[in-house]
Amino acid sequence: MMGGHHAASGAAAWVAVTASTPIAFGWYPVSDASVFTGALVCAGAALLPDADHHSGTIANSLKPVSNVVVKGIEAISGGHRKGTHSILGIAVFTAIAWALSFLSIDTGTEEFGAILIGPGIMCVLLVAFALKALKITRDTKIFPWTMSVTLAVLIAIFAPEEWYWMPFSVALGCIVHVLGDLITTAGVPLLWPLKFRSPYWMRNKRGIELDWMWRTGGNLSVPIIGDAGSVREWILLVPISLYAIVGIVWALLNQMGYDTMAVWYQVVALFPG
Ligand SMILES: [Zn+2]
């Protein structure tokens, strides 16, 4: 799946799971401010598994820090679409986010107290990923820094208690990414570093014919959208992107004090039955 589409599906998943509006599930409810800030962070987290390729879009999103991070991830994970696209990879990314959520510095002042710099650093990096993939920032050196640092500082100052969702956001984003690549022809090595052939009963003609799910090199694939960047991928991503935008705007309007539910009831009343 293409970078922008991974980002959009990450934002959409965040809205679906965290918003308490009638168009969302609200399984992991967060404040309205966290619905729209978290959507951007989760969009970035949904690009994290592709930070395994030194010449990819992500590598140049926040120079020179992103280049160093990506080189490290590439070396550890065994290269592109290997370790980062597995259950183990998702667990490791989530564990890192969880560990970083304890990293804080005490400012020694009454006003600011202890500042959580761990989640702040993650936020800067993930937001830079998202902005780059959504083509909001191009190859400029300063703009990605100012944008993502400003956002991280705003969250840190105005809603420091909001950071608790950072590990969850990283987990959700990575899961959405791996699912997004699972439905392409190339598939993902879900059980990396283990490599499996298809189980015998799947190849056995008398059993269920599921052998098509196994790609060379042990990748699993359920190629609903075909090759990455296909027309089917675009068709699927239009409603998903629209959903994310509606969810984010809705949370923003709530935050600004608009009575969005009154509007919702009026819209619902237009469809009798
Ligand atoms: Zn990928």
Side-chain angles (χ1 to χ4, degrees), residues 10-11 14 54 68 82 103 142 145 156 159 180 182 194 205 233 236 248:
W14 181 258
H54 65 271
V68 176
K82 292 281 192 294
L103 190 65
I142 312 292
W145 278 101
L182 178 74
L194 304 174
K205 289 284 179 270
E233 181 177 321
L236 179 69
I248 290 166

Side-chain angles (χ1 to χ4, degrees), residues 1 6 46-47 49-50 52 80-81 84-85 177-178 180-181 188:
M1 202 177 259
H6 280 304
L47 294 157
D50 274 352
D52 60 358
H80 190 44
R81 274 202 179 197
T84 58
H85 288 64
H177 181 109
V178 172
D181 281 348
V188 287

Side-chain angles (χ1 to χ4, degrees), residues 24-254:
F25 299 111
W27 290 324
Y28 184 88
V30 299
S31 69
D32 290 314
S34 283
V35 170
F36 57 81
T37 51
L40 198 54
V41 172
C42 196
L47 294 157
L48 204 43
D50 274 352
D52 60 358
H53 191 42
H54 65 271
S55 60
T57 324
I58 302 309
N60 297 318
S61 61
L62 195 68
K63 291 177 189 172
V65 174
S66 54
N67 307 81
V68 176
V69 170
V70 169
K71 276 235 167 79
I73 294 175
E74 186 178 28
I76 295 167
S77 67
H80 190 44
R81 274 202 179 197
K82 292 281 192 294
T84 58
H85 288 64
S86 67
I87 293 167
L88 180 65
I90 296 169
V92 169
F93 279 130
T94 308
I96 292 171
W98 178 77
L100 277 174
S101 66
F102 297 102
L103 190 65
S104 67
I105 45 164
D106 199 347
T107 56
T109 63
E110 191 76 3
E111 208 181 343
F112 291 108
I115 291 181
L116 282 167
I117 56 164
I121 292 168
M122 288 218 78
C123 178
V124 169
L125 194 64
L126 295 178
V127 168
F129 287 178
L131 296 177
K132 177 81 181 205
L134 296 169
K135 299 198 164 58
I136 296 169
T137 54
R138 303 267 173 174
D139 258 336
T140 49
K141 281 184 187 135
I142 312 292
F143 188 56
W145 278 101
T146 48
M147 280 283 283
S148 50
V149 170
T150 306
L151 263 163
V153 168
L154 283 176
I155 300 178
I157 292 175
F158 293 106
E161 71 284 358
E162 309 277 349
W163 286 132
Y164 68 91
W165 48 250
M166 182 59 88
F168 177 72
S169 174
V170 167
L172 183 66
C174 290
I175 290 170
V176 168
H177 181 109
V178 172
L179 289 178
D181 281 348
L182 178 74
I183 59 171
T184 64
T185 316
V188 287
L190 211 51
L191 300 170
W192 185 93
L194 304 174
K195 266 189 194 176
F196 283 102
R197 278 194 67 188
S198 52
Y200 179 71
W201 60 269
M202 282 192 179
R203 274 176 277 143
N204 183 347
K205 289 284 179 270
R206 279 167 295 177
I208 311 163
E209 221 343 316
L210 287 172
D211 199 37
W212 52 268
M213 284 170 60
W214 260 261
R215 316 294 307 174
T216 45
N219 278 16
L220 266 173
S221 158
V222 184
I224 298 167
I225 58 172
D227 292 339
S230 68
V231 174
R232 268 181 282 169
E233 181 177 321
W234 280 93
I235 292 171
L236 179 69
L237 261 296
V238 169
I240 289 177
S241 306
L242 282 174
Y243 175 80
I245 292 167
V246 170
I248 290 166
V249 171
W250 196 325
L252 263 170
L253 292 174
N254 276 345

